[in-house]
C-alpha cells in the first residue's frame, strides 16, 4: 500500500521479502506495483493490482452561487501540495481570481503546528487572504464536499492511491490532480478530471 523509496535498503529488503515469501503480492495501484517491481527484478510471487474502494460519500445539493469553490482535502504539509497551489495562484492576476475561493481542509500532525503558521504567512505575503481559507481538520468531509465545485489533489508526493480522488468522484465533483503516484489511475484526463504535472 506504499511506494517504498527511503531508506533504499529497507525498500529493497521489503520488496524481496514480499516476492520471495508470498504466493501473490497485491498492490493498491499500478504505481505501487511498478515501484515494487523496480526494487525486486527477480520475483517468485504473482503480482496483481486491486484498486481501493470507498463507501459512497453522501453530499447535499450545492446552493447556486456566483462563487466557484475549489477544495483541497489533506493534511497540511508541503508534499500534499498546498504550497504548490499557492505558488500557482500567485501567477493568476487578482481580477481573474474574483468569484473564486480556495478552501484547504485539514490539520497538521502533532508537533508540526508550525506548518500551518508558515502556510498562513505564505498566503498573506502573496496577498491571497481573500481567496484562500484554511478550514482545519474535520472527521466527516461530506459537509465540506457538498460545498465544493472542484476538488484539487496537487500532491507532490507519490501517494499510492489517494482516497481523496475517489471521494471527489463519489460526490460527483470535478477533479484536478497532479500526476504523481496512483491518483492518475482513477482519472481519465479531460474526461473525468484533469491531470497536471507536479511542480510545474
Amino acid at each position: 500500500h506504499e511506494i517504498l523509496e527511503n531508506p533504499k535498503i529497507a525498500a529493497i529488503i521489503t520488496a524481496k521479502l514480499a516476492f520471495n515469501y508470498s504466493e501473490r503480492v497485491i498492490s493498491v495501484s499500478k504505481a505501487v506495483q511498478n515501484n515494487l517491481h523496480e526494487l525486486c527484478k527477480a520475483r517468485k510471487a504473482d503480482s496483481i493490482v486491486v484498486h481501493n474502494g470507498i463507501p459512497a460519500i453522501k453530499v447535499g445539493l450545492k446552493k447556486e452561487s456566483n462563487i466557484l469553490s475549489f477544495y483541497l482535502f489533506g493534511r497540511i504539509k508541503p508534499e500534499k501540495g498546498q504550497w504548490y497551489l499557492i505558488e500557482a495562484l500567485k501567477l493568476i492576476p487578482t481580477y481573474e481570481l474574483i468569484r473564486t475561493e480556495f478552501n484547504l481542509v485539514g490539520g497538521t500532525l502533532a508537533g508540526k503546528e508550525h506548518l500551518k503558521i508558515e502556510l498562513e504567512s505564505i498566503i498573506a505575503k502573496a496577498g491571497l487572504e481573500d481567496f484562500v481559507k484554511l478550514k482545519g481538520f474535520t472527521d466527516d468531509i461530506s459537509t465540506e464536499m457538498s460545498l465544493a465545485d472542484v476538488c484539487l489533489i496537487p500532491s507532490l508526493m507519490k501517494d499510492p492511491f489517494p482516497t481523496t480522488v475517489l471521494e471527489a468522484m463519489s460526490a460527483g465533483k470535478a477533479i484536478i490532480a497532479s500526476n504523481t503516484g496512483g491518483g492518475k489511475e482513477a482519472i481519465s484526463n479531460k474526461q473525468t478530471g484533469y491531470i497536471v504535472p507536479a511542480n510545474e
Side-chain angles (χ1 to χ4, degrees), residues 20-40:
N20 284 305
Y21 293 97
S22 305
E23 287 182 28
R24 178 174 293 142
V25 175
I26 302 170
S27 298
V28 75
S29 67
K30 192 79 177 148
V32 172
Q33 184 186 53
N34 289 343
N35 168 252
L36 290 172
H37 287 187
E38 281 296 312
L39 293 168
C40 182

Side-chain angles (χ1 to χ4, degrees), residues 1-6 10-12 14-15 18-19 25-39 50 52 77 80 155 157-163 181-182 185:
H1 193 276
E2 295 298 331
I3 294 174
L4 307 172
E5 292 184 314
N6 293 306
I12 292 168
T14 302
F19 280 112
V25 175
I26 302 170
S27 298
V28 75
S29 67
K30 192 79 177 148
V32 172
Q33 184 186 53
N34 289 343
N35 168 252
L36 290 172
H37 287 187
E38 281 296 312
L39 293 168
V50 178
N52 274 347
K77 58 182 185 175
K80 286 290 187 181
S155 187
M157 62 188 284
K158 294 178 182 174
D159 277 324
F161 195 64
T163 306
E185 295 172 40

Side-chain angles (χ1 to χ4, degrees), residues 35-86:
N35 168 252
L36 290 172
H37 287 187
E38 281 296 312
L39 293 168
C40 182
K41 305 279 189 204
R43 298 180 292 274
K44 291 182 182 174
D46 289 338
S47 180
I48 64 169
V49 172
V50 178
H51 289 112
N52 274 347
I54 61 162
I57 302 287
K58 291 187 168 62
V59 294
L61 288 175
K62 185 178 186 284
K63 290 180 184 172
E64 220 173 289
S65 170
N66 291 332
I67 303 293
L68 186 61
S69 294
F70 293 84
Y71 269 77
L72 190 165
F73 296 92
R75 192 173 304 284
I76 294 176
K77 58 182 185 175
E79 308 93 295
K80 286 290 187 181
Q82 292 95 343
W83 279 249
Y84 174 36
L85 172 63
I86 301 308

Side-chain angles (χ1 to χ4, degrees), residues 22 44 74 81 83-84 103 111 128 141 147 168 171 178 183 192 199:
S22 305
K44 291 182 182 174
W83 279 249
Y84 174 36
N103 301 283
L128 293 168
I141 68 165
L147 302 172
S178 55
T192 61
N199 263 332

Side-chain angles (χ1 to χ4, degrees), residues 149-152 168 172-176 192-194:
D149 292 305
V150 179
C151 286
L152 304 172
K173 305 299 178 177
I175 302 168
I176 302 173
T192 61
Y194 289 91

